[in-house]
Amino acid sequence: MILLFICAVFLFTIMIGVPLVWAILITAILPIFVFDLGYPLQAVYLNLIGGVEPNHFIAIPLFIVAGELMGRGGVGQRIINFAKAAFGFLPGGLGCVVVGASMLFGGISGSAIADSAAIGSVMIPNMAKQGYSKGFAGGLVAAAGTIGIIIPPSIPMLIYGFVGNVSVADLFLAGVVPGLIFGLLFMAVCYYVGKKTKCDPGGATSTPKELWNAFVASAPALFMPVLILGGIFGGIVTPTEAAAVAVVYGFFVTVIIYRDFKLSQLPALFVDSFASPDSC
């Protein structure tokens, strides 16, 4: 009877639009009153607070802020330019650029949504102009964006590691090879589509100087995952400390090096980072 009541309350609160976190809380507390279970509400409060008390959960909003900083600081365009120099000569080159840029940006933001937003806003119109269907362009950006939660650092991996008491470093290490395989398979599909439809036969091969210049322009951003993962794998910093380092480094890159981000934009960035329920 109690189980049926819990299921009914949960489904009802979800159906009337109650946010999931409050629906779970209501479902947990209401049976205590209805069935007089004798469970003290103080214990519910202590469990609720204790669940979010550990300091390592601070890493999640910090990585979100770091990703927002890099995404708003013009980093996405520089990564796209580097990916174009590296993959633009291939048939289906623009599609390969989307995948390559998503892999690189995913190693910075750790968020699929931030990845897709930063890359898609630039690449979808360009792919449509090249002759790709808008459906394929949008689908590719959405699919390639998921690589951002496989290639470390990954916000969902952080959550799983903290909640499941699993080594975050091991999770990050386990995501590298699958992320690269996903990326290569996506590129193979883009190569096939570009060659078959002839909408994107490929361009001229970049000269070593052009490739080097594109790499140098994006190098400060590309160093972020090296800094984060090197610190974690080397045992120098914990994931929480690495997240703090990522915020400081992201601020330094966007404000001092690239100068694409103004201090006056910080309040809006913090609001968007902490208010969005879909940041990861």
Side-chain angles (χ1 to χ4, degrees):
M1 182 65 182
I2 296 178
L3 180 60
L4 291 175
F5 179 81
I6 290 174
C7 293
V9 170
F10 180 72
L11 292 175
F12 176 75
T13 52
I14 291 295
M15 289 175 64
I16 63 175
V18 176
L20 183 60
V21 61
W22 298 113
I24 294 174
L25 185 60
I26 293 171
T27 304
I29 293 178
L30 201 57
I32 297 175
F33 291 101
V34 174
F35 295 98
D36 193 20
L37 299 179
Y39 194 78
L41 289 182
Q42 292 88 339
V44 176
Y45 173 77
L46 291 175
N47 285 332
L48 178 66
I49 298 301
V52 296
E53 190 177 33
N55 291 333
H56 50 232
F57 281 111
I58 299 174
I60 297 167
L62 287 177
F63 271 121
I64 293 173
V65 171
E68 286 283 341
L69 268 172
M70 301 298 271
R72 296 186 183 203
V75 173
Q77 184 60 58
R78 290 178 174 86
I79 289 177
I80 288 172
N81 292 340
F82 174 58
K84 280 183 178 178
F87 306 112
F89 68 94
L90 294 169
L94 278 183
C96 294
V97 168
V98 169
V99 177
S102 295
M103 294 170 69
L104 294 172
F105 195 83
I108 295 172
S109 69
S111 165
I113 293 177
D115 189 347
S116 298
I119 305 303
S121 60
V122 177
M123 291 305 299
I124 290 178
N126 287 338
M127 291 182 70
K129 290 178 182 178
Q130 183 69 30
Y132 289 93
S133 69
K134 290 184 178 181
F136 179 82
L140 179 64
V141 169
T146 61
I147 301 177
I149 60 175
I150 300 174
I151 291 182
S154 164
I155 294 173
M157 283 186 182
L158 282 171
I159 297 172
Y160 179 83
F162 294 152
V163 173
N165 197 26
V166 179
S167 169
V168 174
D170 290 345
L171 288 172
F172 281 0
L173 190 61
V176 174
V177 174
L180 293 176
I181 292 174
F182 270 109
L184 291 175
L185 291 175
F186 281 143
M187 286 185 180
V189 172
C190 295
Y191 181 92
Y192 172 78
V193 171
K195 197 167 185 179
K196 182 180 180 181
T197 62
K198 295 183 172 56
C199 66
D200 187 6
T205 303
S206 300
T207 63
K209 183 178 180 180
E210 291 172 338
L211 185 60
W212 173 253
N213 289 339
F215 172 74
V216 169
S218 60
L222 297 178
F223 183 68
M224 179 182 275
V226 177
L227 181 68
I228 296 171
L229 300 180
I232 294 175
F233 294 150
I236 302 172
V237 294
T238 65
T240 305
E241 293 167 345
V245 171
V247 172
V248 174
Y249 182 75
F251 183 84
F252 176 76
V253 168
T254 55
V255 176
I256 306 300
I257 297 180
Y258 290 150
R259 299 181 181 180
D260 291 330
F261 189 84
K262 298 179 181 179
L263 293 178
S264 59
Q265 297 174 276
L266 274 177
L269 181 142
F270 288 139
V271 169
D272 289 344
S273 297
F274 298 129
S276 173
D278 301 319
S279 295
C280 56

